[in-house]
């Protein structure tokens, strides 16, 4: 089936997509030091070259780990290698034995200001900050469409550290660390493995992955509601990627005893894999083993990314994500409450730069006011008022208006 036909037949206005963006997208549109961004393994090798002239250091670490773990998968292997390289690299920096003395001094200056930072992570921060968008007319044209897709996406999730996404998606706030499980959702880039501008948030070693294990489970449980209601489009990933497999395992563990729900959920997953020899946008059925379950999903193999973005834009979304973001902010203000003050409706046109005033608010609009009473399940009700400045007592709001809205939605 053609991707466009599948989109139009299966997704409606309320199916606002979620984007899951991986390193393949950065590699497509960016360069680092004038070259294509490295693979995980090549990155680790390049770091050892900063203090060794040959691959001996890397190969020895790899060989020693494989000797103890002969059946280890690549993703876990690289985590263990990264941990050993971090230990070696930190010693090299402290002992001032890095070959590039200028780089060494930059790292040491940051480390002297905060000795709780890992010099290894400081280097990663410096390295990924240098990323640049390719000056290629065809790819820049693709990016215009990707930016439009982002504007119609509920949330953007990535395992990338680099600043590419925040540079092209203006107005999106980057979320890392513990904020991943407490932050609001809309107009956010969830960097689940950290960001270049927060060294402590970077997840790359075995120790790092163990540190965030519980957080990933909580995050997966938090996102499961969104995954159940929205198409999840993977760009720049393969489901053989160990990071994605682990994340999905956390997400789907809640459904391990409910195969019907699991199958329904996985049908919303669409994987876009690059195939340099194809421009067609045929959608195929595929599956992958995640834990003990066989996860089905839709897959497209193509190099026609502009066509992919154009199809996603055909989802008939008539909701402005900026407005949803404002509604979300309003909802959180409402449920936090403020005794002694009334809950006041806000006209969105009166806001400046999408900033919500400190007053407690429960809705917005001049004649049509959108009111969310349960954001976690995305239920909203439109109430028509003839008056603009309506004051509702907080007690009335929770005791009268919410029950009324629930009745209307049952």
């Amino acid at each position: 089936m053609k991707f466009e036909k599948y989109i139009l037949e299966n997704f409606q206005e309320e199916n606002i997509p979620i984007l899951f963006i991986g390193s393949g997208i950065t590699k497509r549109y960016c360069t680092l030091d004038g070259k294509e961004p490295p693979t995980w393994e090549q990155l680790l090798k390049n770091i050892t070259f900063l203090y060794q002239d040959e691959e001996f250091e890397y190969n020895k670490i790899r060989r020693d780990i494989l000797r103890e773990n002969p059946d280890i998968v690549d993703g876990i292997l690289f985590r263990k290698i990264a941990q050993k390289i971090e230990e070696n690299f930190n010693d090299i920096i402290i002992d001032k034995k890095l070959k590039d003395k200028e780089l060494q001094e930059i790292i040491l200056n940051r480390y002297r200001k905060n000795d709780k930072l890992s010099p290894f992570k400081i280097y990663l921060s410096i390295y990924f900050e240098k990323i640049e968008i390719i000056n290629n007319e065809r790819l820049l044209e693709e990016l215009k469409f990707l930016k439009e897709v982002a504007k119609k996406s509920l949330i953007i999730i990535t395992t990338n550290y680099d600043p590419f996404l925040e540079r092209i998606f203006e107005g999106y706030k980057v979320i890392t660390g513990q904020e991943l499980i407490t932050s609001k959702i809309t107009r956010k880039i969830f960097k689940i493995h950290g960001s270049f501008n927060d060294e402590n948030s970077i997840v790359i070693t075995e120790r790092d992955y163990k540190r965030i294990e519980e957080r990933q489970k909580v995050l997966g449980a938090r996102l499961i509601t969104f995954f159940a209601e929205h198409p999840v489009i993977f760009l720049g990933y393969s489901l053989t990627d160990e990071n994605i497999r682990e994340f999905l395992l956390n997400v789907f563990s809640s459904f391990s005893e409910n195969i019907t729900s699991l199958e329904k959920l996985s049908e919303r997953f669409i994987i876009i894999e690059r195939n340099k020899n194809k421009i067609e946008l045929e959608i195929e059925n595929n599956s992958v083993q995640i834990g003990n379950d066989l996860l089905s999903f839709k897959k497209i193999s193509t190099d026609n990314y502009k066509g992919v973005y154009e199809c996603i834009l055909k989802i008939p979304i008539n909701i402005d994500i900026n407005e949803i973001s404002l509604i979300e902010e309003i909802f959180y203000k409402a449920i936090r409450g403020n005794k002694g003050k009334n809950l006041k409706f806000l006209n969105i046109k009166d806001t400046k730069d999408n900033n919500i005033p400190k007053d407690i608010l429960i809705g917005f609009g001049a004649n049509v006011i959108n009111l969310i009473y349960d954001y976690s399940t995305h239920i909203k009700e439109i109430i028509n008022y003839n008056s603009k400045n309506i004051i509702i007592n907080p007690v009335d709001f929770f005791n009268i208006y919410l029950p009324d809205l629930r009745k209307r939605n049952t």
Side-chain angles (χ1 to χ4, degrees), residues 113-224:
K113 292 176 182 177
N114 183 358
D115 61 10
K116 290 183 171 58
L117 296 178
S118 159
F120 175 71
K121 304 284 180 60
I122 294 173
Y123 170 73
L124 291 176
S125 171
I126 294 168
Y127 178 72
F128 282 108
E129 189 174 14
K130 297 184 292 184
I131 203 162
E132 294 182 346
I133 296 174
I134 293 173
N135 186 19
N136 176 289
E137 186 175 347
R138 179 178 66 87
L139 294 178
L140 290 175
E141 180 68 15
E142 281 186 13
L143 279 180
K144 290 180 182 178
F145 285 88
L146 179 56
K147 290 178 182 180
E148 292 304 311
V149 169
K151 289 178 183 178
K152 294 194 173 185
S153 301
L154 183 72
I155 182 176
I156 297 166
I157 306 171
T158 184
T159 51
N160 299 351
Y161 317 126
D162 63 74
F164 169 63
L165 295 180
E166 50 263 51
R167 286 180 184 174
I168 66 166
F169 300 153
E170 297 177 0
Y172 283 72
K173 182 182 178 182
V174 171
I175 304 298
T176 62
Q178 284 300 116
E179 272 196 280
L180 292 167
I181 56 178
T182 59
S183 169
K184 304 177 189 70
I185 291 292
T186 52
R187 289 181 62 79
K188 303 295 189 299
I189 300 173
F190 273 36
K191 288 194 166 185
I192 62 176
H193 285 168
S195 180
F196 80 102
N197 58 0
D198 180 4
E199 295 93 335
N200 280 330
S201 72
I202 293 175
V203 176
I204 188 170
T205 69
E206 183 179 37
R207 186 182 296 112
D208 295 331
Y209 279 91
K210 288 181 178 178
R211 171 173 54 83
I212 68 163
E213 201 170 86
E214 286 306 311
R215 188 181 76 203
Q216 291 289 74
K217 290 179 181 178
V218 175
L219 178 61
R222 182 185 185 195
L223 292 175
I224 196 72

Side-chain angles (χ1 to χ4, degrees), residues 13 47 56 70 79 98 112-113 150 182 191 196 251 312 322 335 347 363:
E13 181 180 339
I47 293 173
F56 173 79
R79 296 175 194 179
L98 205 66
R112 290 183 188 115
K113 292 176 182 177
T182 59
K191 288 194 166 185
F196 80 102
V251 169
I312 296 171
N322 288 327
I335 62 175
N347 184 352

Side-chain angles (χ1 to χ4, degrees), residues 301-360:
S301 297
T302 188
D303 197 40
N304 181 11
Y305 277 67
K306 179 182 175 183
V308 168
Y309 304 150
E310 287 177 321
C311 286
I312 296 171
L313 289 172
K314 290 185 185 296
I315 299 176
I317 300 169
N318 297 317
I319 302 171
D320 188 325
I321 298 299
N322 288 327
E323 291 187 1
I324 293 179
S325 180
L326 283 168
I327 294 171
E328 184 181 27
E329 178 66 24
I330 289 164
F331 171 72
Y332 276 92
K333 283 181 178 291
I335 62 175
R336 281 197 299 268
N338 188 346
K339 293 181 179 179
K341 286 190 177 182
N342 289 329
L343 299 173
K344 183 178 181 181
F345 284 108
L346 172 73
N347 184 352
I348 188 172
K349 294 179 181 178
D350 294 337
T351 63
K352 293 182 179 179
D353 301 322
N354 287 345
N355 290 324
I356 300 296
K358 293 181 180 179
D359 307 50
I360 304 303

Side-chain angles (χ1 to χ4, degrees), residues 63 76 120 165 172 191 213 227 262 282 292 309 313 342 381 385 408:
R63 186 172 57 250
I76 307 300
F120 175 71
L165 295 180
Y172 283 72
K191 288 194 166 185
E213 201 170 86
F227 286 0
L262 181 62
E282 288 288 337
N292 296 322
Y309 304 150
L313 289 172
N342 289 329
E381 177 72 18
Y385 285 99
R408 298 182 190 206

Side-chain angles (χ1 to χ4, degrees), residues 228-288:
E229 297 179 357
H230 302 273
V232 184
I233 300 171
F234 290 80
L235 297 164
Y237 283 113
S238 166
L239 276 184
T240 59
D241 186 313
E242 195 62 31
N243 290 328
I244 293 301
R245 293 171 66 87
E246 286 190 6
F247 185 81
L248 292 178
L249 181 59
N250 288 331
V251 169
F252 292 122
S253 60
S254 303
F255 290 86
S256 58
E257 296 180 2
N258 191 334
I259 300 302
T260 302
S261 295
L262 181 62
E263 290 175 350
K264 183 179 178 181
L265 188 65
S266 63
E267 281 294 306
R268 294 182 175 275
F269 279 43
I270 303 172
I271 315 298
I272 314 296
E273 286 193 340
R274 187 181 183 190
N275 184 330
K276 294 181 180 180
N277 301 314
K278 288 181 68 176
I279 61 171
E280 295 84 5
L281 295 176
E282 288 288 337
I283 196 159
E284 309 165 1
N285 293 317
N286 217 313
S287 61
V288 66

